[in-house]
Amino acid sequence: FIWFGTDWGLNSFDGNKFNRYINNPEDVHSLSDNGINKVLGDKKRNKVWIATKRSGLNVYDGATGKINRYPVMEHVKNSTYAYGITDLCFDEQGDIWIATYGNGLKKLLVDSDSIVHYSNFGINNYIWCVTDDKKGNLYIGHVDSGLTVFSLTDNTIKQFFSQPDNPQSPPSNAI
C-alpha cells in the first residue's frame, strides 16, 4: 500500500483502489481528525503513524485494521499533550519523535508505549519539522526560531538563526 494524508482523511492505495479512513465521532477507532500533517509507515510493526492537524497522534494497526488514538489531555498517561502534530520521524532505535505546534518535542518510546516530553529544554515550542540524520542528531525546524540540532548522544543543542549579513546562515528563521 501507499499511504497518504489529506485534509479529508487518511488514504491507502493498492495500485487499483483507494481506501479512505475518516473521523466518525461515534467510533473511537476512527481518526480523531480528518486533517493529516504526516503519515509514517512502520513496516517492522505493521503500523501507520498519523500526525493530525488538530487532534493529536493516531496509529493504524495493520493486523487489526483499527485506528487507535493517543490522548491529548495534560496529566493523562501516554498523552501527547498536543493537539497539532506537525511532523514525525523514527530514530535509530525505532522510537518516534513528534514535532508539535506549540507543545514542543515529544518522543514516543514505541516498545513501552510511553511518551517523553521535551517541552522546555531551550528551544521554541512551535516546531514545523523534525528529522533524524542516523548519526545521533535530530534537526528541528521551528516556526520562527531557526534550526535546532539536538544531539541524542550527549543531549546538547545548537541553534542556528538567520543573519541577514551572513550568507552561510539560514535564509529565514521559519524552517
Side-chain angles (χ1 to χ4, degrees):
F1 287 105
I2 295 173
W3 292 90
F4 56 95
T6 68
D7 281 336
W8 301 277
L10 176 69
N11 300 270
S12 67
F13 180 63
D14 68 2
N16 293 306
K17 66 177 180 154
F18 290 87
N19 285 318
R20 188 170 144 206
Y21 304 84
I22 60 172
N23 172 262
N24 176 348
E26 297 175 11
D27 182 0
V28 297
H29 291 291
S30 70
L31 285 176
S32 60
D33 179 25
N34 287 334
I36 309 297
N37 278 331
K38 175 77 175 199
V39 176
L40 185 65
D42 188 344
K43 290 181 183 180
K44 176 181 170 186
R45 297 176 185 93
N46 193 21
K47 296 184 183 217
V48 177
W49 301 92
I50 307 141
T52 72
K53 290 185 176 183
R54 294 171 291 278
S55 296
L57 181 66
N58 293 202
V59 60
Y60 172 84
D61 187 328
T64 65
K66 292 184 179 179
I67 293 172
N68 293 306
R69 305 171 182 176
Y70 280 79
V72 293
M73 293 79 60
E74 188 175 13
H75 306 300
V76 174
K77 185 179 185 326
N78 291 336
S79 173
T80 60
Y81 187 50
Y83 290 95
I85 308 266
T86 54
D87 202 6
L88 303 169
C89 78
F90 286 113
D91 64 16
E92 285 295 293
Q93 288 72 42
D95 293 319
I96 298 173
W97 288 90
I98 304 167
T100 74
Y101 189 81
N103 292 88
L105 188 66
K106 317 293 181 187
K107 182 179 184 180
L108 172 61
L109 304 169
V110 178
D111 291 336
S112 65
D113 200 36
S114 60
I115 294 177
V116 179
H117 301 270
Y118 291 84
S119 297
N120 295 305
F121 73 109
I123 62 170
N124 180 301
N125 286 331
Y126 290 87
I127 301 172
W128 279 137
C129 55
V130 61
T131 191
D132 181 296
D133 69 1
K134 309 301 182 210
K135 297 177 184 176
N137 296 300
L138 283 183
Y139 293 81
I140 304 159
H142 301 277
V143 172
D144 62 3
S145 297
L147 177 73
T148 299
V149 180
F150 177 34
S151 170
L152 302 175
T153 55
D154 62 10
N155 289 325
T156 59
I157 61 172
K158 292 180 187 176
Q159 292 188 272
F160 298 89
F161 300 99
S162 178
Q163 300 169 11
D165 297 333
N166 181 353
Q168 294 180 338
S169 73
S172 164
N173 283 326
I175 306 279

